[in-house]
Amino acid sequence: MQPIMDTSLWLAHKRRALIHPVDGADFLMHRAAEDLADRLGAVERRFAKAAVLFCQTSAATDVLARSGKVADIGRVEADAAFLNGAAGLIAPLETVPFEPQGLDLVVSLLALQTMNDIPGMMIQIRRALRPDGLFLGAFAGAGTLSELRESLLAAETDIYGGASPRVIPFTDVRDAGALLQRAGFALPVADVETVTVRYANLFALMADLRAMGETSALADRGRRPGSRRLFARAAEIYAERFSDPDGRVRASFSIVWMSGWAPDASQQKPLKPGSAKVSLKTVLEGPEGH
């Protein structure tokens, strides 16, 4: 399979961001962690052993610890620098370093979009879960940075007569649901939330992306370096197409959430086709046939 992401470059960007932290640049992770707390709070059960996969910060681990619902939490990162001295396992990205059926809960926040084999990762997660174990994951989905993508493509076309990809492709919510089903999860659910952030200009947005460690790590990225002329033109296009009346520009981040359970005999099963006792026509017409 031809890789889409240069994961070594992505890790280098993340390490650089860790060395040069910018206050507030982790707002998306904080938002995802808050959503995780809400979603976990709606699950009325406790978990003996959980794993948090490649989240790059302690945000998800902290949520699980505060919930009081998890007895044992293991954290997995691709680089020891992300652990910042905390306990955890180091493993290659796109691996789940646990025995089959060894976990009751798996969580992943804002990491899956960087992986080349998302279906394979989902299958590994499902296999690592005990029957009736839960997976909760969030990743950047389709629509993320759509304004930046359009502006860069238009600017490069204007200047060079053609364009190369500079923003990674993102999976949409429908494909996320299909991924859960393909991996063998029961009761799969996928939904999306769009977060709109406003910036002074394109350059302020790009500074935030650099501080997040989320500048382009495409394997097939254009080898022509971006020039001042290119980014100046992209900033003009961005302001023309995506600015508010006060002059600030909008940037969209779509967070796709997935949840699924490892199959178990105790789970609810959908009724077989044709097994209903009352027809839909009767329900819609009511008792008097109207």
Side-chain angles (χ1 to χ4, degrees):
M1 182 179 66
Q2 182 71 23
I4 296 173
M5 297 292 295
D6 183 338
T7 52
S8 296
L9 181 59
W10 178 78
L11 283 170
H13 289 168
K14 287 292 183 179
R15 292 189 198 100
R16 180 183 63 194
L18 195 65
I19 295 169
H20 304 287
V22 175
D23 187 44
D26 56 353
F27 65 91
L28 279 180
M29 181 61 75
H30 278 292
R31 180 67 171 263
E34 289 174 358
D35 287 349
L36 173 63
D38 291 341
R39 290 166 188 267
L40 190 61
V43 179
E44 297 182 354
R45 61 171 290 183
R46 294 179 59 84
F47 302 92
K49 186 172 179 60
V52 176
L53 303 179
F54 305 112
C55 295
Q56 311 130 52
T57 80
S58 66
T61 307
D62 295 342
V63 168
L64 299 193
R66 287 195 300 266
S67 74
K69 294 185 174 185
V70 186
D72 181 12
I73 306 167
R75 185 174 162 196
V76 180
E77 296 292 357
D79 193 298
F82 301 137
L83 291 172
N84 194 28
L89 296 173
I90 306 303
L93 202 65
E94 303 193 36
T95 62
V96 180
F98 295 94
E99 294 295 325
Q101 299 189 14
L103 301 170
D104 302 287
L105 172 66
V106 173
V107 170
S108 174
L109 297 186
L110 303 185
L112 287 169
Q113 75 274 358
T114 67
M115 299 185 184
N116 286 302
D117 186 10
I118 299 176
M121 186 66 179
M122 298 293 294
I123 290 170
Q124 289 184 69
I125 290 171
R126 199 263 302 156
R127 287 176 177 168
L129 286 167
R130 296 186 180 108
D132 208 30
L134 175 63
F135 167 62
L136 289 171
F139 62 91
T144 296
L145 298 175
S146 57
E147 303 91 350
L148 178 62
R149 183 197 305 273
E150 181 178 325
S151 299
L152 286 170
L153 286 174
E156 200 161 11
T157 301
D158 280 357
I159 293 172
Y160 300 117
S164 56
R166 293 182 180 272
V167 178
I168 68 172
F170 295 103
T171 302
D172 68 23
V173 66
R174 291 170 297 181
D175 290 336
L179 284 169
L180 287 164
Q181 292 179 317
R182 177 178 173 182
F185 282 97
L187 309 175
V189 176
D191 60 89
V192 63
E193 178 187 7
T194 299
V195 179
T196 301
V197 185
R198 302 200 316 142
Y199 290 93
N201 50 45
L202 173 144
F203 299 106
L205 165 61
M206 293 182 67
D208 244 10
L209 294 175
R210 176 177 287 266
M212 294 178 194
E214 292 293 352
T215 47
S216 179
L218 283 166
D220 192 27
R221 61 193 178 278
R223 294 305 191 254
R224 181 197 299 128
S227 64
R228 290 186 179 182
R229 182 186 174 201
L230 171 65
F231 288 113
R233 178 61 183 134
E236 291 175 357
I237 294 170
Y238 206 124
E240 290 167 2
R241 300 184 184 182
F242 305 111
S243 64
D244 289 330
D246 62 1
R248 295 178 69 81
V249 299
R250 303 179 299 278
S252 299
F253 298 88
S254 296
I255 309 301
V256 175
W257 274 95
M258 297 189 293
S259 69
W261 297 82
D264 183 71
S266 67
Q267 292 164 349
Q268 286 183 309
K269 302 292 190 300
L271 293 173
K272 294 180 179 179
S275 63
K277 298 289 193 298
V278 180
S279 72
L280 179 60
K281 180 175 183 291
T282 302
V283 172
L284 294 177
E285 290 182 348
E288 297 183 2
H290 297 293

